[in-house]
Amino acid sequence: VLLPVEGGVDSGKCCQILRDDLVPVLDWFCPDGDCVFVRDGAPVHASVEARRWMGDCHISVSEWSPQSPDLNIAEGIWRMVRVGLAGDVGSIAAGSGLVRRLQSLWRGVGVERVQELCCSLLRRVAAVMGSKGTMSKY
């Protein structure tokens, strides 16, 4: 889910977004509750309030470094979105046109591609371990 947010996001707003927008998505994608939330390194995701809220809602959170593009599925999706957006530079106005295009590209990634990224995690972990935490081919 790609959600445009106006203004800054503090821990209270983060929890509101998680409650209003993440929970319905998790309910749809993971009706059995077997999902893991991958934080992107934003401090509000790791705030005391957000961690407490996720714990109260029984939302599992990944333990690996979200900053590692080798291990973060969302980074692979963002890469595809950036490539798609690169062809549009100059033809999209900022604001709502840009938001619509980003949302379109995000939705266009497709479930199959996300599944491929998920299935590649074991190879990615092995590559990161083999490179002793430095850059890998991913």
Side-chain angles (χ1 to χ4, degrees):
V1 174
L2 182 61
L3 179 70
V5 176
E6 289 202 26
V9 177
D10 60 15
S11 58
K13 190 169 187 175
C14 176
C15 290
Q16 175 191 348
I17 291 168
L18 293 171
R19 181 187 65 243
D20 296 347
D21 299 295
L22 176 66
V23 170
V25 169
L26 291 180
D27 288 344
W28 189 80
F29 276 107
C30 308
D32 59 358
D34 190 25
C35 279
V36 176
F37 180 73
V38 178
R39 293 189 280 230
D40 66 358
V44 295
H45 291 167
S47 70
V48 171
E49 188 176 351
R51 286 183 301 165
R52 182 180 308 119
W53 183 88
M54 286 186 223
D56 291 347
C57 292
H58 308 288
I59 296 174
S60 298
V61 179
S62 71
E63 295 301 325
W64 66 63
S65 170
Q67 298 296 338
S68 171
D70 298 327
L71 301 178
N72 189 336
I73 301 293
E75 291 299 327
I77 296 170
W78 273 118
R79 188 175 308 113
M80 289 180 259
V81 169
R82 281 191 301 271
V83 167
L85 192 60
D88 297 332
V89 173
S91 65
I92 297 178
S96 63
L98 178 59
V99 169
R100 281 193 303 275
R101 182 62 179 143
L102 286 169
Q103 289 173 324
S104 172
L105 288 165
W106 188 270
R107 283 190 306 270
V109 168
V111 173
E112 297 82 16
R113 184 63 182 127
V114 174
Q115 287 172 334
E116 289 172 12
L117 288 167
C118 290
C119 290
S120 72
L121 275 176
L122 288 177
R123 289 190 309 274
R124 291 168 180 265
V125 168
V128 168
M129 290 173 68
S131 68
K132 302 204 184 325
T134 61
M135 294 291 289
S136 75
K137 70 177 186 174
Y138 294 101

